[in-house]
């Protein structure tokens, strides 16, 4: 038995065409949504990597600075600075500042 498309009513063909068109639209929207989710996920991952790297760098710099300051506070200078006249202020001596 052969299927004769000319025997199908026009309304049935329009209905089937509408369903096919709707299916194409659903597939397109689903693919676009899936692509958007992937892009958002990749962007979020990239942001987390960049933010984590920057936070790690800041903590590393702070830790190194803290070590440097504590090391510098333990160093004893061989002698005191001698008072030297400052060219702009007159006779104020220069002072070596240290942490207590």
């Amino acid at each position: 038995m052969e299927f004769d498309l000319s025997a199908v009513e026009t309304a049935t063909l329009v209905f089937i065409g509408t369903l096919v068109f709707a299916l194409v639209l659903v597939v397109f929207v689903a693919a676009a949504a899936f692509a958007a989710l992937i892009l958002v996920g990749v962007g979020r991952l990239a942001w987390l990597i960049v933010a984590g790297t920057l936070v790690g760098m800041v903590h590393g710099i702070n830790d190194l600075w803290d070590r440097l300051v504590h090391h510098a506070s333990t160093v004893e200078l061989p002698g005191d600075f001698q008072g030297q006249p400052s060219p702009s202020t007159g006779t104020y001596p220069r002072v070596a500042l240290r942490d207590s």
Side-chain angles (χ1 to χ4, degrees):
M1 177 179 200
E2 293 182 22
F3 181 70
D4 186 12
L5 196 57
S6 63
V8 181
E9 290 185 19
T10 305
T12 305
L13 290 176
V14 168
F15 180 73
I16 292 171
T18 303
L19 289 179
V20 169
F21 184 70
L23 181 65
V24 168
L25 285 178
V26 166
V27 168
F28 176 75
V29 169
F34 186 66
L37 283 174
I38 289 174
L39 288 175
V40 167
V42 168
R44 174 76 174 158
L45 178 64
W47 170 251
L48 287 176
I49 289 171
V50 168
T53 303
L54 289 176
V55 168
M57 287 175 56
V58 167
H59 284 300
I61 290 170
N62 285 340
D63 186 46
L64 290 175
W65 180 255
D66 193 43
R67 287 183 190 181
L68 179 69
V69 167
H70 286 300
H71 176 69
S73 69
T74 61
V75 172
E76 288 294 325
L77 297 175
D80 291 332
F81 286 111
Q82 300 297 323
Q84 299 175 355
S86 175
S88 62
T89 59
T91 59
Y92 293 113
R94 296 183 188 207
V95 179
L97 299 176
R98 300 194 224 181
D99 289 356
S100 348

